[in-house]
Amino acid sequence: MELLSSTKTHAGWLKRYRHKSTSVKGDMTFAVYLPPQAETQRVPVLYWLSGLTCTDENFIQKAGAFRKAAELGLAIVCPDTSPRGTDYPNEHESYDFGSGAGFYINATVEPYSGTYHMYDYVVDELPRLVEEHFPITEKRSISGHSMGGHGALICALKNPNRYQSVSAFAPIANPTQCPWGEKAFTGYLGNDKTTWEEWDATCLVKNLIGQLQQGLPLFIDQGESDDFLDEQLKPQALEAACEEVGQPITLRRQAGYDHSYFFISSFIEEHLEFHFNALS
């Protein structure tokens, strides 16, 4: 790994690294916050997945999470949102597909099938790397925002024994039924919509209920003044699916809040406490 930067904050260290990834077959960048407790012991970790157009830096600069993470003794790992350094047709032409928009799935349509395996990267490769090189335990939780909220939900629902807890801010909760998801899934997975369902949290809740008896609750905050709420996010579909099959979910509708990091920073400490309690 190549250390890109190291910054002390709240008595801990925020570090950014670049490394060669086998999942995406190229360089990937991630950030890790190590709380002060990590100097003397191993600490649990929260993986944060960011949204469309973002990199690993959006959360670390805007969320205001490190004071609480330092208090709790919680590490935070923030990967990038897509592979970088490729130049496929249409990859850089829009904000909601290609560069910065990996959707945390494993693409099956060429040329994206060669490198756009963000699901494998987030679930398997990055945790192995982090646990090998940093004083971090194997207890992990996952969270994210928008496209990253979608990513956090599918990672946890597909691997209920791998994560202690999962939360999301304004997730794309039913991507098979919204313009963002339809565009991305067509480009990454093809036109057979039956293959899309394994990457949709609402569909997964319905299809994986036999495996969801582990009791992994879903914790979601959604701003009621979010411009994307009705057309793109559809939290009510996920809520209805959970109620139908008995999957625990807490969906908090926050009056007046939008889709921005102002919304995230207002409630991030509650999410960190939620995850730390589960990790403890």
Side-chain angles (χ1 to χ4, degrees), residues 191-219:
N191 294 318
D192 182 359
K193 294 186 177 182
T194 61
T195 65
W196 298 4
E197 294 185 358
E198 66 172 304
W199 306 108
D200 181 312
T202 298
C203 298
L204 284 171
V205 165
K206 295 179 180 179
N207 297 338
L208 297 180
I209 184 56
Q211 302 176 37
L212 295 179
Q213 300 304 320
Q214 307 294 330
L216 185 69
L218 312 183
F219 178 35

Side-chain angles (χ1 to χ4, degrees), residues 145-146 149-150 153 168-173 220-222 233-235 238:
H145 169 233
S146 193
H150 142 78
L153 291 172
F169 288 85
I172 305 173
I220 297 172
D221 270 322
Q222 173 63 60
L233 305 180
K234 303 185 182 298
L238 177 60

